[in-house]
Amino acid sequence: MSRTPPPVDTTIDGLRARLDAERAAGRTVALVPTMGSLHEGHLALVDRAAALADAVVVSIFVNPLQFGPSEDYDRYPRDLTADLAALTDRGVAVVFAPTVAEMYPRGPIGTRVSAGAVGEILDGASRPGHFDGMLTVVAKLLLIAAPDVAVFGEKDAQQVFLVQRMVRDLDVPTRIDVVETVRASDGLALSSRNAYLSPEQRTAALALPSALAAARAAAIAGAGLPTALEAALAVLDAEPLLELDYVAVVDPETFQPAEPGHTGAARALVAARVGSTRLIDTQLLHLA
C-alpha cells in the first residue's frame, strides 16, 4: 500500500485558506512549530497535537532571526523530503514550509518581540538576540495559523517559558502544551544537532543527562540546591571533551536563578559544547 505524505503549503495565504476551511467544518487546529530535521522528539509533539486537535499543522522553517552570525544557520540540516516521509500517516493535515522571502518579504524586519531580562540569561547570554528572534517567528506563526493549541518540547525550557509568557502577556488565544523530553536509549535528549556528533563525542555528551540525574538524585535524597548543583558539576567536570557553558537551577515561575535556600519545584538546566556542537538539557527537581 502506498503511503502519501501530507500536503505542503509554502505561502501564508495558502495556509490560511486551508485552515479557514478546516475551521468552517468545525475542526480545531493544533500547531507544531519546528525547524525540520525531524526526529522522534518532534514526532512525539506531532502525536500529542493529533490527540489535542482535529487538524495538525507542522511548520518547518529555519528561522534566520534566531541565529547569531557565528552560529550554524547555513549548515543546519535541511531535508524536506525526509521530513515529509517522517510525517506520513501521522494525521498531519498540512506542512507549512515557507521560504525566508515568504516570512520576511521586505528583508530583516524592524518589529521584534522582546524576550526581556529572561532572554538575556542562560542561553540568552550565550546567544544574544536568539530569544527575540524565536519569539518573533513564533508570534508570526501563531498569527498566521491561529491555532487552538501549539505544542512545544520541554527540552527547550527557556523557550517554553518565554512563549508561555508571551501568549499570556499579549492575550494570544492559543493554549501552549508542553511534551516531556524524549531521549535516546542511552539517555541523550533527542536533538537535530546530535547528528553532528562523532561516536566519541556522543559518549561525552552523555555527561549532560548524567549530571542532571545526579542533581535529581541529590534532591531526592534531601539535599538542598547547592549540594544538588555540586553533584551535577562533579559529573560535568569529569568529562574532558565537554566545554561547559552553564549549569543552573531556576525557579520555574520566574526563570530566575533559584536562591540557595529555595524549596519546592525547581528546574535544573545545562548547556555545553562537545566539539563544535552545542547541546542543552533540563530536568525538573523538587528541593526539600
Side-chain angles (χ1 to χ4, degrees), residues 84-288:
L84 292 176
L87 294 171
T88 297
D89 297 337
R90 296 199 94 98
V92 175
V94 60
V95 171
F96 180 49
T99 63
V100 173
E102 178 69 13
M103 291 294 280
Y104 308 119
R106 289 167 292 281
I109 60 176
T111 301
R112 304 282 178 105
V113 179
S114 172
V118 174
E120 298 174 356
I121 62 174
L122 302 171
D123 257 38
S126 302
R127 307 180 67 188
H130 165 73
F131 287 118
D132 290 358
M134 178 277 296
L135 286 179
T136 301
V137 78
V138 170
K140 282 179 68 74
L141 290 169
L142 294 178
L143 288 167
I144 291 165
D148 298 280
V149 61
V151 184
F152 291 82
E154 178 197 31
K155 178 173 71 70
D156 298 298
Q158 193 170 3
Q159 169 180 282
V160 168
F161 175 87
L162 289 166
V163 169
Q164 289 175 321
R165 190 181 67 178
M166 176 185 73
V167 165
R168 182 180 67 245
D169 288 352
L170 300 184
D171 298 308
V172 179
T174 297
R175 179 166 65 86
I176 304 302
D177 192 82
V178 183
V179 174
E180 186 176 345
T181 301
V182 179
R183 300 183 180 277
S185 58
D186 59 7
L188 188 64
L190 297 189
S191 168
S192 299
R193 290 185 169 94
N194 291 352
Y196 301 154
L197 299 171
S198 69
E200 183 183 27
Q201 289 171 338
R202 185 181 176 93
T203 299
L206 295 178
L208 274 72
S210 295
L212 295 175
R216 183 171 183 271
I220 290 173
L225 186 152
T227 302
L229 267 178
E230 288 170 7
L233 273 169
V235 174
L236 296 165
D237 288 344
E239 177 46 68
L241 295 184
L242 187 144
E243 180 185 344
L244 182 63
D245 184 348
Y246 65 79
V247 58
V249 176
V250 300
D251 182 335
E253 296 299 317
T254 64
F255 229 85
Q256 294 298 318
E259 297 293 333
H262 181 90
T263 59
R267 181 165 292 280
L269 306 119
V270 61
R273 288 190 181 276
V274 182
S276 62
T277 304
R278 188 174 185 277
L279 301 173
I280 62 173
D281 205 346
T282 185
Q283 174 69 61
L284 198 61
L285 309 177
H286 186 84
L287 297 168

Side-chain angles (χ1 to χ4, degrees), residues 39-57:
H39 50 65
E40 288 297 325
H42 295 111
L43 298 181
L45 306 184
V46 173
D47 291 345
R48 175 63 175 166
L52 294 174
D54 302 312
V56 175
V57 183

